[in-house]
Amino acid sequence: SSAIDFPNRPDFNLNVLVVRVFGWSTITILVVFLLNNFLTFWAGWPGVFGGEGEANILLFGVQAGLYAVAVMVAIFHVLRNPARSLHIESKTVSELNAFLIRTVFWSVLLIGLVDMSLALLEVEQLMDDIFGEPIALDLVRQNVRAQYIHLPLIASSLVIAAFTRNLGFPWLALLLVIIEILIVMFRFIFSYEQNYMSDLARFWYATLFLLAMVDTFREDGHVRVDVLFTRFKPRTRYLVNAFGTLIFGMTFCWVILVIGTAGKFSIFNAALSSLEKTDTGYGMYVQYLMTVLLGIFAILMLIQLVSYLFNAIAAYYEQPNDAPAAR
């Protein structure tokens, strides 16, 4: 059915349509929010809510207009197929988020292994012998490490994520156990301890807790602590899930993102602009990535909450679950 004649159908539900527009608008506005953060604090644009650049009404209008475009894109997507069920929309959003989670997972895994290896070579003074003195000097510079090591690994992770469907969080947990055992053995048996070893453990610990939290929520495997919830009628539970998602979940994620990008010297922007690294010697160059992981967690959780909201409203209106199983 077309968007024009769909309101005349008996199964038309304006509330469902509004929820779909709201959910997709949340995602498109999130994209514009991140883009505007880059334009404001890296490209010198004026910003919608104030920035570091000079006042420019044209650029201000472009940045503000992007939010209107984001909402229009969401409306266009919904009206292009107004009969699409919320269950299918939820699966679509969840599949998108699964790809992003896989990308971050592989990025952190590869960067951790490569950066730790470079730190080991630096500690043992083998960089010059393997790479030559000019390249070895470049590899200990943070901007070179981020641009020519970390970014290509992130790009590779995009490709890996596109061709994989499973995540190795249990394997990451096993690697962490092995790392901790090695740290203890080397410290107390061989009296050998370097900062890169604890840096790698912290980097992967942060990933395991934050990223696995989102993926567990995506799989609906999180632990529920219910006092009154189980006593509610089914439709009341769905409403509680929906309003809880809006009031607590999405608000929490937006608070993290807004505070973390509130200015040039906010926690996320400052870490990225300075490519922050640990001050201790012979450590890994991933401190800025560990800081940004909290923002990535908020982004991924916000997207997954949109999927959760779709499911809750679909269950409330008893829409049939005709969506294909998530891969």
Side-chain angles (χ1 to χ4, degrees):
S1 300
S2 66
I4 297 177
D5 62 8
F6 185 72
N8 298 321
R9 289 179 45 165
D11 58 347
F12 173 74
N13 190 322
L14 180 60
N15 294 335
V16 170
L17 213 63
V18 170
V19 169
R20 290 179 61 200
V21 171
F22 173 82
W24 284 108
S25 294
T26 299
I27 295 175
T28 54
I29 287 174
L30 173 63
V31 173
V32 171
F33 176 84
L34 298 174
L35 174 61
N36 271 340
N37 182 69
F38 170 79
L39 294 175
T40 301
F41 299 110
W42 272 270
W45 288 37
V48 178
F49 305 104
E52 304 295 327
E54 297 181 0
N56 186 314
I57 190 65
L58 178 60
L59 296 182
F60 169 82
V62 170
Q63 288 189 268
L66 286 174
Y67 286 105
V69 172
V71 176
M72 291 173 61
V73 168
I75 294 173
F76 173 78
H77 167 76
V78 172
L79 294 182
R80 188 178 60 175
N81 192 353
R84 200 176 191 200
S85 75
L86 282 171
H87 284 299
I88 294 179
E89 293 282 52
S90 176
K91 292 293 184 183
T92 301
V93 174
S94 188
E95 285 289 334
L96 168 65
N97 210 30
F99 169 74
L100 297 177
I101 293 171
R102 291 196 300 270
T103 299
V104 178
F105 171 82
W106 286 107
S107 297
V108 171
L109 182 66
L110 294 178
I111 289 174
L113 291 174
V114 173
D115 212 283
M116 183 272 294
S117 300
L118 292 174
L120 173 62
L121 294 177
E122 185 181 0
V123 169
E124 301 302 328
Q125 299 181 352
L126 297 173
M127 296 274 278
D128 291 351
D129 296 335
I130 295 176
F131 301 108
E133 186 175 352
I135 297 178
L137 289 174
D138 283 335
L139 287 176
V140 297
R141 295 172 182 165
Q142 177 69 335
N143 61 329
V144 173
R145 186 77 67 91
Q147 183 176 356
Y148 295 102
I149 301 296
H150 297 171
L151 282 181
L153 290 175
I154 293 173
S156 301
S157 298
L158 282 166
V159 178
I160 297 173
F163 290 97
T164 58
R165 289 294 179 269
N166 296 320
L167 286 177
F169 286 117
W171 293 107
L172 183 60
L174 177 61
L175 287 175
L176 277 168
V177 172
I178 295 173
I179 289 171
E180 294 291 0
I181 292 174
L182 290 176
I183 289 175
V184 173
M185 288 179 57
F186 277 93
R187 177 187 300 170
F188 293 104
I189 298 178
F190 302 104
S191 298
Y192 178 91
E193 182 179 7
Q194 296 295 339
N195 291 318
Y196 69 82
M197 302 170 71
S198 56
D199 284 348
L200 180 62
R202 283 194 296 268
F203 187 39
W204 281 354
Y205 266 127
T207 304
L208 184 63
F209 282 109
L210 293 175
L211 211 60
M213 190 186 307
V214 180
D215 191 59
T216 301
F217 182 65
R218 189 183 72 85
E219 298 287 348
D220 197 24
H222 55 289
V223 177
R224 296 176 179 268
V225 181
D226 299 327
V227 179
L228 301 175
F229 186 82
T230 52
R231 301 181 183 180
F232 294 154
K233 295 179 180 179
R235 297 193 74 196
T236 305
R237 295 179 193 174
Y238 304 140
L239 280 181
V240 170
N241 285 338
F243 282 106
T245 298
L246 292 170
I247 297 173
F248 299 107
M250 290 186 174
T251 302
F252 174 70
C253 294
W254 277 117
V255 167
I256 293 176
L257 293 173
V258 170
I259 293 178
T261 59
K264 187 174 183 179
F265 299 104
S266 60
I267 180 172
F268 300 145
N269 289 333
L272 284 173
S273 60
S274 64
L275 296 175
E276 181 185 10
K277 73 184 210 54
T278 54
D279 296 329
T280 54
Y282 300 115
M284 293 176 61
Y285 289 54
V286 296
Q287 184 69 29
Y288 75 102
L289 294 175
M290 292 177 63
T291 303
V292 174
L293 266 176
L294 181 59
I296 293 174
F297 159 78
I299 292 170
L300 297 177
M301 184 60 80
L302 182 60
I303 295 173
Q304 194 57 45
L305 284 167
V306 171
S307 173
Y308 195 73
L309 176 65
F310 285 162
N311 262 335
I313 299 299
Y316 178 79
Y317 285 109
E318 299 179 345
Q319 288 189 344
N321 190 356
D322 51 356
R327 293 180 295 174

